[in-house]
Amino acid sequence: MTKLWGGRFTKPTNKLVEEYTSSINFDQKLAKQDIQGSLAHVDMLGKCGIISQNEVSDIKKGLSIIEGKIEKGEVEFSVADEDIHMNIEKLLIEEIGPVGGKLHTGRSRNDQVATDMHLYMREKTELMVELVEQVQSALLQQAEQHVETILPGYTHLQRAQPISFGHHLLAYFWMFERDKERLQDSLKRINWSPLGAAALAGTPYSIDREMTAEALGFERVYPNSLDAVSDRDFILEFLSISSIMITHISRLSEELILWSSQEFNFVELDDAFCTGSSIMPQKKNPDVPELLRGKTGRIYGNLMGLLTLLKGLPLAYNKDMQEDKEGMFDTAETLEGALSLLAPMLESMEVNVGQMRNAVKEDYSNATDIADYLAIKGMPFRQAHEVIGQIVLYGIQNEKYLLDLTIEEYQQFSDLFEEDIFEKLAPEQVVAARNSQGGTGFKQVHKQIQLAKQYL
Ligand code: ARG
C-alpha cells in the first residue's frame, strides 16, 4: 500500500478509478506555486515551534532539490499519486526520508490547492495587465498617426457620419482600460490567503496564518476556514473579466476582418500575420483575427463551466472542485496568446488612408450636418430632418451626392440655404465640427490622446 492515505484501506485502488480521479496530468502546472506555498508553510511551522529548525531546513532543502528537478524536466509524475500535492510530498519523502512527512502538519490539500490557485491567479492577472497595456499602446500609437484620417463611422453597419480613424481606435483603448482596471481590482480579492484553513475547520496546532500570508505576499487571511477552502469566486472573477475582454478582442477582430476585405479595403494586415490558401493562390486570409474571434467560445465556455460546477455544491470541499483547473489554465493561456498577438498585429497594420477618405466622399454621411445647418438658422431640427430627407432622396434619384448639388438645387428645398453650405459639408469640416467633449472633432481626439497617455 503506497498511497499517502493508504492506512485505512484494505484493497488497492481500481486502475480506472485511479486514472479517473487523478489530476496530475493537468495540475502539474501548479508545481511552482505548490512548492512556494509549502516553503512558507514549513517556515511558519518552525517559527511557531511546531517542528524543529533542523527539520525545517531538511524539508526546505528537499523542496528546492525537487523544484530544480521539475524545472529540468527530470521528474516523472505518477497518476498513482493522484495530484501535484501528493506527488511532491512523495518525492520529498523519497529525497529526505520520513522527516518529509512532517511538511503536511497543520494543513490539508484543501487549503493547499486553494493557496496554489490564488498564487497562480495572481501571477496570471499581473501578466494580463502588462499584456493589455501593450495592446493599448499599439492602439494609441496608431491613433496618434491617424487623428486626421477620415473614414465613415457606422451604425447598423450603414454609413452614418464621418469620423476620425484615431477616434475609432481609441474607443478600443478605453474598453481595454476598463478591462485592466477590473483585473487590478480583482487582485484585492485574489490576495486573500486560505492557507491554514486546513481541511475545513482549522487546526489544533498553534499555527500563524498571518505569517504565511505575509510570506506569500497576500494582503489578508480568509476570516472563515469553510469559505477559505470552498471559495472559487476569484477564479470566476478572472473568467468573467476574461470573457468581457475577449468580447472586446472579438469585436475589434471582426472590424479588422471587415476592413481587410476587398469590399472595405481600409487596412492591410502585415503578411506576417496572415496566411494563404492551399488552393486559391491570390488569397491572403486574416486568420489571426478570425481565430481571436473564434477563441471567444472557449473563454465563455470556461466561465459557464465553472459557474455550473459550483452552483450546487454544499460546503466545504467537494471533489467536483478538481474540475475548476483546466478551464482556468485554458482561459489564462488563451488570453495570453490573444493579447500577445494582438499588439504586434495592430502595430504593423497598414492603413489605407485614401480608401477611407474615398468612402466618405461617396455617401450621404454628411446629411446630419445640413440638418444642423438649417437648425442653426432657426428651423426646428425635426423639420430640418424632413427637408434633408427629401434632399437625400432627390440626390439618390439624380445620382448626385450632397456636395455635387448646386446652390439652386438646395434653394428649391429651403431659402435658408446660402453658399456657405458647401464648406460646411466637406468631410474635414464635418468631423472638426464635432468638438463636443469626447466627440470625434480633431481637437477632442488630440485631447483624448493626451488623457490616454496618462493612463499608460
Ligand atoms: N487534486 C485536488 C483538487 O484539485 C486537491 C484537493 C484534494 N482534496 C481532497 N480532500 N481530496 O481538488
Side-chain angles (χ1 to χ4, degrees):
M1 192 64 53
T2 55
K3 298 273 188 231
L4 287 172
W5 40 254
R8 183 236 179 274
F9 287 77
T10 55
K11 275 188 182 177
T13 318
N14 176 305
K15 282 287 159 215
L16 288 174
V17 171
E18 207 162 66
E19 276 285 337
Y20 198 72
T21 56
S22 84
S23 53
I24 186 62
N25 288 333
F26 49 88
D27 67 12
Q28 54 182 276
K29 286 192 199 252
L30 296 172
K32 192 179 71 176
Q33 290 80 2
D34 199 65
I35 290 173
Q36 197 186 344
S38 289
L39 287 170
H41 178 68
V42 77
D43 237 343
M44 179 278 292
L45 290 179
K47 289 189 177 128
C48 293
I50 298 168
I51 63 174
S52 76
Q53 280 309 332
N54 281 342
E55 290 165 337
V56 172
S57 60
D58 285 353
I59 292 174
K60 285 172 87 172
K61 227 177 279 162
L63 285 171
S64 80
I65 294 171
I66 292 162
E67 186 167 31
K69 285 188 182 168
I70 293 175
E71 271 167 18
K72 285 193 218 115
E74 289 169 9
V75 166
E76 261 212 48
F77 294 116
S78 121
V79 164
D81 292 323
E82 199 175 320
D83 57 21
I84 187 63
H85 324 294
M86 290 199 292
N87 266 272
I88 289 179
E89 192 177 328
K90 195 79 168 291
L91 289 166
L92 179 69
I93 294 168
E94 276 165 25
E95 192 69 46
I96 64 170
V99 64
K102 294 206 170 190
L103 169 63
H104 212 51
T105 313
R107 90 175 174 185
S108 148
R109 275 187 294 155
N110 297 347
D111 57 338
Q112 188 178 356
V113 70
T115 303
D116 293 2
M117 288 193 295
H118 276 267
L119 292 171
Y120 178 87
M121 280 284 85
R122 181 171 68 202
E123 205 174 287
K124 290 299 176 190
T125 299
E126 285 170 351
L127 173 66
M128 263 3 118
V129 168
E130 274 172 39
L131 295 176
V132 174
E133 283 194 337
Q134 287 172 17
V135 172
Q136 285 183 296
S137 77
L139 286 165
L140 190 55
Q141 216 172 295
Q142 285 283 10
E144 270 192 288
Q145 286 172 41
H146 292 288
V147 174
E148 315 236 324
T149 300
I150 295 176
L151 81 165
Y154 295 81
T155 61
H156 314 266
L157 202 57
Q158 305 286 324
R159 290 178 186 177
Q161 291 174 350
I163 55 170
S164 144
F165 185 52
H167 191 57
H168 194 120
L169 292 173
L170 287 170
Y172 287 99
F173 178 95
W174 298 111
M175 290 178 226
F176 288 119
E177 182 57 34
R178 293 191 294 275
D179 292 332
K180 191 172 78 185
E181 209 174 272
R182 274 185 275 271
L183 286 168
Q184 285 164 333
D185 188 71
S186 75
L187 282 169
K188 276 191 252 168
R189 290 166 291 279
I190 290 175
N191 276 322
W192 286 32
S193 175
L195 193 55
L200 74 164
T203 168
Y205 296 99
S206 46
I207 58 168
D208 186 339
R209 293 187 61 203
E210 301 290 344
M211 193 187 290
T212 47
E214 201 191 316
L216 294 170
F218 291 130
E219 282 160 21
R220 56 178 298 181
V221 302
Y222 276 88
N224 181 303
S225 61
L226 292 169
D227 184 36
V229 290
S230 58
D231 174 35
R232 296 294 182 267
D233 296 357
F234 63 104
I235 304 176
L236 278 179
E237 208 175 336
F238 178 76
L239 300 183
S240 317
I241 297 169
S242 301
S243 296
I244 298 174
M245 196 183 323
I246 198 76
T247 306
H248 298 151
I249 295 174
S250 187
R251 294 182 76 173
L252 176 54
S253 298
E254 171 65 14
E255 301 218 83
L256 294 175
I257 294 162
L258 285 173
W259 290 342
S260 56
S261 69
Q262 219 173 318
E263 283 66 20
F264 278 81
N265 193 22
F266 284 176
V267 301
E268 176 152 4
L269 299 177
D270 195 86
D271 274 7
F273 292 88
C274 294
T275 57
S277 156
S278 58
I279 171 167
M280 296 163 284
Q282 84 284 9
K283 293 204 69 188
K284 176 171 159 184
N285 296 329
D287 288 36
V288 174
E290 288 175 285
L291 258 184
L292 295 177
R293 188 178 58 183
K295 295 284 184 192
T296 308
R298 64 202 289 160
I299 291 197
Y300 292 175
N302 292 334
L303 172 62
M304 286 307 139
L306 186 59
L307 284 167
T308 312
L309 174 72
L310 292 170
K311 73 174 272 290
L313 292 187
L315 297 183
Y317 178 82
N318 301 271
K319 185 71 170 181
D320 317 43
M321 291 164 87
Q322 183 164 286
E323 288 287 306
D324 59 5
K325 284 168 206 63
E326 285 158 292
M328 171 182 78
F329 294 140
D330 183 61
T331 290
E333 286 163 16
T334 303
L335 207 55
E336 187 178 334
L339 294 167
S340 308
L341 274 172
L342 191 52
M345 184 171 67
L346 287 168
E347 271 161 27
S348 60
M349 171 181 84
E350 286 291 332
V351 179
N352 296 340
V353 175
Q355 189 67 25
M356 288 183 176
R357 185 68 182 68
N358 280 341
V360 170
K361 257 192 237 156
E362 288 159 13
D363 69 11
Y364 293 90
S365 64
N366 43 6
T368 318
D369 295 80
I370 333 183
D372 289 335
Y373 175 91
L374 293 182
I376 286 164
K377 296 204 167 189
M379 186 182 288
F381 181 80
R382 191 48 58 213
Q383 191 187 335
H385 186 286
E386 172 69 24
V387 171
I388 310 310
Q390 288 163 7
I391 298 179
V392 168
L393 183 62
Y394 173 87
I396 293 169
Q397 285 165 348
N398 293 278
E399 291 183 25
K400 286 179 168 187
Y401 293 111
L402 295 173
L403 266 174
D404 304 332
L405 299 177
T406 62
I407 187 68
E408 290 76 25
E409 285 174 301
Y410 274 110
Q411 284 165 347
Q412 284 169 25
F413 293 91
S414 164
D415 51 19
L416 291 175
F417 282 117
E418 290 169 87
E419 279 293 340
D420 64 344
I421 180 65
F422 297 106
E423 68 202 52
K424 294 270 188 300
L425 288 186
E428 282 70 22
Q429 194 41 47
V430 169
V431 176
R434 291 194 159 59
N435 202 27
S436 56
Q437 190 178 6
T440 191
F442 305 121
K443 277 193 199 148
Q444 287 297 323
V445 179
H446 281 296
K447 268 195 191 166
Q448 210 185 133
I449 286 173
Q450 291 318 311
L451 185 65
K453 283 184 176 166
Q454 290 170 25
Y455 279 82
L456 277 187

